[in-house]
Amino acid sequence: MKRISPEHKVSESFFIFTAMKMNIAFVLFFSTFFINAQISEQVRKLAKPLDTIAYAESEYIKVGAEKSKVYEYFQKLSEVANNDDLFYLAKNGSKSLKFYSSKELLKRNDKRFLEIYKFYTENPFSLSYTYGSEASEEDITSHLKQAIKITSEILSLVEEWKNDEKNNALESFEDKQLRKFEEKYKNLTKTDLKFYWQEIGKIDSEKK
């Protein structure tokens, strides 16, 4: 049997170690490149203020209906983000981005909202969410269910407002909000929401 010299063993080990380092570096580079390729530079910059935020807020918070800075950050992002951007952020962003992006997918009637919901039944996390003057910390799936309920209530209010001949054409804060809601939720109907509710019920039952 041919004996391998100690020098040869060291040389071979060094070669293997160097090759492994190169492979790891390549994988890390490729992974970073792949992640960066998922969303545009503009969306990535707009997402930056929310990168480290682990809570969420509604558009108006506290008793005095103050505008939420956190919500405004996401609002700017949502104006330029397409549905693919949102889907990516809903899975890979901060807790705040995951929640807001998931809600926005629902608002846009993107059926991948259900994929996100299922993903978080399998990969749950808790989130503190302030809606108006009330705050609650619950599992993300509970917040997403609540989003469906609140959206249904909003659509009912918009429907009543549109059918009310006495509405005073944006003269009040309420009118302005309802007009804004009408535009924001134009892609959704109560029938759509009923479908989403039935489907998440199926997902929940499968988990049990």
Side-chain angles (χ1 to χ4, degrees), residues 8 15 29 36 80 87 97 116 131 133 140 153 185 196:
H8 181 77
F15 175 78
F29 170 78
N36 288 339
V80 299
F87 181 70
L97 281 167
I116 293 297
Y131 185 78
S133 58
I140 181 64
E153 291 171 6
Y185 296 93
Y196 284 113

Side-chain angles (χ1 to χ4, degrees), residues 3 39 48 92 115 124 175 201:
R3 295 187 62 185
I39 53 178
K48 193 118 182 112
N92 302 283
E115 186 177 334
D175 288 322

Side-chain angles (χ1 to χ4, degrees), residues 162-186:
K162 286 172 69 176
N163 293 333
D164 186 358
E165 295 179 357
K166 296 178 182 178
N167 79 70
N168 49 19
L170 307 183
E171 288 182 9
S172 71
F173 174 80
E174 287 78 11
D175 288 322
K176 290 178 182 178
Q177 280 299 104
L178 288 165
R179 178 71 73 185
K180 190 189 294 184
F181 286 146
E182 181 185 20
E183 176 61 25
K184 280 184 178 180
Y185 296 93
K186 63 184 178 182

Side-chain angles (χ1 to χ4, degrees), residues 62-105:
K62 301 182 181 178
V63 177
E66 296 177 19
K67 278 210 139 194
S68 164
K69 291 292 183 186
V70 177
Y71 182 90
E72 282 188 339
Y73 286 141
F74 183 76
Q75 196 170 35
K76 289 177 183 176
L77 184 154
S78 66
E79 288 171 2
V80 299
N82 60 36
N83 289 21
D84 290 337
D85 294 328
L86 294 169
F87 181 70
Y88 175 79
L89 292 172
K91 274 193 172 183
N92 302 283
S94 65
K95 285 186 176 183
S96 182
L97 281 167
K98 286 173 180 175
F99 173 69
Y100 283 129
S101 299
S102 298
K103 278 188 65 179
E104 186 65 24
L105 286 173

Side-chain angles (χ1 to χ4, degrees), residues 7 10-11 29 32 37 49 54 72 83 96 130 136 144 158 171 203:
E7 292 81 4
V10 171
S11 176
F29 170 78
T32 303
E72 282 188 339
N83 289 21
S96 182
T130 300
S136 64
L144 295 180
V158 169
E171 288 182 9
I203 293 169

Side-chain angles (χ1 to χ4, degrees), residues 52-63:
T52 56
I53 295 180
Y55 62 90
E57 298 173 340
S58 58
E59 184 174 3
Y60 295 95
I61 55 173
K62 301 182 181 178
V63 177

Side-chain angles (χ1 to χ4, degrees), residues 92-155:
N92 302 283
S94 65
K95 285 186 176 183
S96 182
L97 281 167
K98 286 173 180 175
F99 173 69
Y100 283 129
S101 299
S102 298
K103 278 188 65 179
E104 186 65 24
L105 286 173
L106 172 67
K107 192 185 296 182
R108 297 185 185 189
N109 201 11
D110 189 315
K111 299 301 186 293
R112 285 179 293 181
F113 170 82
L114 294 170
E115 186 177 334
I116 293 297
Y117 181 86
K118 184 174 183 180
F119 178 76
Y120 286 122
T121 60
E122 299 165 355
N123 304 275
F125 67 87
S126 62
L127 173 80
S128 176
Y129 178 52
T130 300
Y131 185 78
S133 58
E134 297 182 3
S136 64
E137 180 150 358
E138 298 181 59
D139 184 85
I140 181 64
T141 54
S142 297
H143 285 306
L144 295 180
K145 284 180 184 176
Q146 189 65 17
I148 295 176
K149 292 178 181 178
I150 291 172
T151 301
S152 181
E153 291 171 6
I154 288 172
L155 291 184

